[in-house]
Amino acid sequence: MRRVPALAVFLIVPVLAAAQEVAANRSTAYLHPTDVRDSRALWVNPAGLGVLREASVYAEIAVQDPGRGSGRLRQLSAGFNSRGLSFGYQRDVFDGGRRGHTYRVGLAGGSKGLAGGAAMALYRGDTKGTGWDIGGLYTAEGTTALTVGGVIANIGQPVVRGLQQRLTFIPGATWRPLGPAAALSLHARITPDSVIGYAFGLTWQGSGARWPIAVLARLDTDGGLRRGAFAVGISIGGRDRVGMVVSTPGDLSGVDAASLWGLSTREAGARRR
């Protein structure tokens, strides 16, 4: 029997793995830890919450095997960020009618290109566990060309519905050769005993239009750089945005999951005297 690569588990979980009854937040399947600065950073890299002085709210709904007879709702999530203080909620629907609930609280801050943050996750729904993530970001002062950073995830290695969440280091970088309009990102997932996989992504953001359009594409591989999954998305809007992301296996044989999300952001105003 052919051995299944370690990436199979890593990719199935973020794309909503009901069999293992552990599901990472959907945003981890298409965002990078060095290229997210809104309320979704709570799930990807809490340091991103402290990069901008903003308030933002988001919601996302994800479906597994869309368009097929077996397609079904798998995850609902929502959250907000207010100047680095953030809260998020995730509800997962597993096979057999079981439900999972994840509550997440984050705190972050930043100054002169350096940002850091931490997040605590409480797992409920036929389980009780607590995990921690800490993250950092650095952008050289005076330029937005290169951002580097990383996350240490699952500190405490909580056991969630019988599965231990491994301590994982996630280093990454984002390069913006054309300014804020386009970005190239990559990151890796590393446990104490192996490299689980890599992710490579491209984003492009239009400007000047009444309804700006942004697109993203991401490729995930295993530790040997063998293709594991693709994610492609599009969004419309500026401060108020809606978007859709679909995920496929590495051979593009079908659509594993699709999600629809909405995000609203506002810059923090000056304090009143």
Side-chain angles (χ1 to χ4, degrees):
M1 201 172 173
R2 189 181 302 173
R3 183 185 175 190
V4 178
L7 181 69
V9 176
F10 160 61
L11 291 175
I12 292 173
V13 169
V15 176
L16 313 174
Q20 288 84 7
E21 300 205 347
V22 176
N25 188 266
R26 170 65 176 164
S27 59
T28 62
Y30 60 87
L31 297 176
H32 297 268
T34 51
D35 194 27
V36 56
R37 300 179 178 183
D38 53 60
S39 48
R40 293 173 296 177
L42 178 65
W43 306 94
V44 183
N45 182 357
L49 301 168
V51 174
L52 301 175
R53 289 173 54 83
E54 61 145 40
S56 63
V57 295
Y58 93 99
E60 186 164 12
I61 180 171
V63 177
Q64 187 177 28
D65 296 329
R68 303 180 186 177
S70 59
R72 59 180 297 183
L73 174 68
R74 286 299 192 186
Q75 189 178 96
L76 296 168
S77 61
F80 75 88
N81 173 41
S82 179
R83 297 185 180 183
L85 176 62
S86 182
F87 174 79
Y89 170 71
Q90 174 181 317
R91 183 176 186 268
D92 297 297
V93 181
F94 301 115
D95 291 336
R98 301 180 69 183
R99 301 291 187 268
H101 307 275
T102 304
Y103 305 89
R104 198 169 179 93
V105 179
L107 183 63
S111 177
K112 297 182 179 180
L114 182 65
M120 178 182 68
L122 300 175
Y123 300 96
R124 297 295 184 265
D126 296 323
T127 191
K128 284 188 177 182
T130 303
W132 290 85
D133 293 358
I134 60 173
L137 289 171
Y138 178 72
T139 300
E141 189 173 1
T143 179
T144 58
L146 180 65
T147 299
V148 296
V151 183
I152 302 176
N154 299 321
I155 298 173
Q157 300 193 117
V159 177
V160 182
R161 299 176 194 91
L163 290 179
Q164 186 178 53
Q165 307 305 291
R166 297 292 307 279
L167 179 70
T168 306
F169 178 47
I170 311 171
T174 294
W175 180 42
R176 299 180 180 276
L178 303 177
L184 298 171
S185 300
L186 62 90
H187 71 266
R189 296 181 65 91
I190 305 170
T191 62
D193 53 10
S194 65
V195 177
I196 299 176
Y198 303 95
F200 307 87
L202 169 66
T203 59
W204 176 83
Q205 172 77 53
S207 61
R210 182 178 180 182
W211 297 101
I213 296 177
V215 295
L216 67 84
R218 172 170 149 176
L219 166 66
D220 287 86
T221 74
D222 64 10
L225 296 178
R226 292 181 290 271
R227 290 181 303 173
F230 285 101
V232 180
I234 185 171
S235 64
I236 301 174
R239 296 189 304 174
D240 302 311
R241 284 178 280 165
V242 294
M244 174 175 285
V245 180
V246 296
S247 300
T248 74
D251 60 2
L252 302 176
S253 59
V255 177
D256 288 333
S259 59
L260 179 68
W261 57 268
L263 174 70
S264 180
T265 62
R266 296 293 183 271
E267 294 183 3
R271 295 182 179 179
R272 294 182 179 179
R273 295 184 177 181

